[in-house]
Amino acid sequence: MYKTVEQTANDIGMSEHQILQYIYAGRIKAVHDGENFLINSAQFETYHQQLERIKEEIEIWKNTPIPEDVDIKDED
């Protein structure tokens, strides 16, 4: 499915200006129809998968308790 620069920017959370810079630099593949750039949204599936995986790993890290240090002794 092809989307405009504005729609793509909203989907991936970047500014339109940054999307256009990536298109000109060749980092995002796009088709120019004479007026607008159209971007195939399938190229961002890996991006979304990696983003979700990173969010899950951060949640796991936050919920993992800190183990007690075996060297600490309670001395009164």
Side-chain angles (χ1 to χ4, degrees):
M1 180 171 150
Y2 285 90
K3 295 183 178 183
T4 64
V5 172
E6 181 182 352
Q7 292 169 335
T8 302
N10 289 334
D11 285 349
I12 63 175
M14 290 184 181
S15 68
E16 292 179 38
H17 179 71
Q18 189 173 13
I19 298 290
L20 287 172
Q21 285 182 334
Y22 285 163
I23 290 171
Y24 294 135
R27 294 177 65 184
I28 294 177
K29 296 178 184 176
V31 177
H32 193 263
D33 69 353
E35 295 180 15
N36 299 315
F37 281 105
L38 298 175
I39 302 166
N40 189 345
S41 60
Q43 65 183 310
F44 297 106
E45 289 179 17
T46 304
Y47 170 78
H48 289 296
Q49 290 170 355
Q50 290 175 348
L51 192 61
E52 289 301 317
R53 184 180 55 88
I54 289 170
K55 286 179 182 178
E56 290 173 3
E57 288 179 6
I58 289 173
E59 275 304 309
I60 291 171
W61 177 76
K62 284 181 178 178
N63 294 330
T64 303
I66 300 173
E68 288 191 33
D69 191 2
V70 293
D71 294 338
I72 297 177
K73 296 180 182 174
D74 188 23
E75 296 179 9
D76 286 329

